[in-house]
Amino acid sequence: MPFPSAEQIIELSRPVVEAHGYPLEGVRIHRAGKKSLVAVLVDADSDTLEAISNELSGVLDAAEEAGECSFGPGYTLEVSTPGVDTPLSAPRHWRRNRHRMVRVRGAEGAEGSDGTAEEWEGRIGALSGDESEVILVRKRDKRLWVERLRLDQELTAVVQIEFAQPPSEQTALTELSFEDATRWQEENK
């Protein structure tokens, strides 16, 4: 029996992960002789990751014992979060990173003079009720500006690591509801 594919690991992992109330973010497999790595990515806190890891280890071992797959001489199971450098690709990612700075590349209408996609930064605010847009607080010409970013467009957005506390005037705007932030922008044009 061959080493399990990513699809097989997903099939075995998804019920365990979703039973804890989280979506499965992805799976990575690195075959490396005696110590192959099976990495399962879940956006959860450390206590939940530990519980998922313990349960999933039993599920994978049982699948191997039942002959459904073979891990060969052994494997290491790693259950972790996707990581800070993973692009935001779903509304839940934007919601989880509210108040954080994000670098956006390739948003519609954001082309530089050389025809390449422009990059810019903004602080993440509230999602719209239908989760199709997110508020971004940006600084332009030394003043704050609120923008609505449509999430259905081709873009790459990655959270930026900050070592200082964000400015309180920015977080005051990211605290607002989607509707209140939109209203604030209309009143402060």
Side-chain angles (χ1 to χ4, degrees), residues 125-145:
L127 280 168
S128 62
D130 64 0
E131 298 186 335
S132 65
E133 294 179 289
V134 66
I135 293 293
L136 289 180
V137 176
R138 296 180 62 194
K139 197 165 193 173
R140 279 197 213 161
D141 301 323
K142 297 186 180 185
R143 62 179 274 233
L144 291 180
W145 187 261

Side-chain angles (χ1 to χ4, degrees), residues 97-108:
N97 286 290
R98 189 170 181 176
H99 311 298
R100 297 191 67 189
M101 187 63 74
V102 65
R103 179 177 301 268
V104 179
R105 182 170 199 267
E108 186 177 305

Side-chain angles (χ1 to χ4, degrees), residues 29 41 52 55 61 73 79-80 98-99 108 134 136 161 168:
I29 298 173
L41 306 173
I52 290 171
E55 289 177 39
D61 291 347
V79 178
S80 64
R98 189 170 181 176
H99 311 298
E108 186 177 305
V134 66
L136 289 180
I161 296 174
S168 59

Side-chain angles (χ1 to χ4, degrees), residues 124-181:
I124 302 171
L127 280 168
S128 62
D130 64 0
E131 298 186 335
S132 65
E133 294 179 289
V134 66
I135 293 293
L136 289 180
V137 176
R138 296 180 62 194
K139 197 165 193 173
R140 279 197 213 161
D141 301 323
K142 297 186 180 185
R143 62 179 274 233
L144 291 180
W145 187 261
V146 170
E147 291 188 24
R148 293 165 51 165
L149 179 67
R150 285 191 355 266
L151 299 180
D152 64 350
Q153 55 189 319
E154 290 284 325
L155 58 86
T156 302
V158 178
V159 170
Q160 301 301 293
I161 296 174
E162 297 179 279
F163 295 103
Q165 285 291 104
S168 59
E169 61 272 6
Q170 289 181 19
T171 56
L173 291 173
T174 62
E175 288 283 346
L176 296 175
S177 70
F178 186 87
E179 295 76 17
D180 288 344

Side-chain angles (χ1 to χ4, degrees), residues 12-13 20 31 35 52 54 69 72 79 88 107 113-114 121 124-126 129 136 141 149 152 155 158 165 178 188:
L12 292 166
S13 302
H20 285 272
R31 294 199 57 197
K35 282 296 180 182
I52 290 171
N54 291 335
C69 61
V79 178
L88 307 180
S113 58
D114 62 356
E121 290 185 349
I124 302 171
L136 289 180
D141 301 323
L149 179 67
D152 64 350
L155 58 86
V158 178
Q165 285 291 104
F178 186 87
N188 290 281

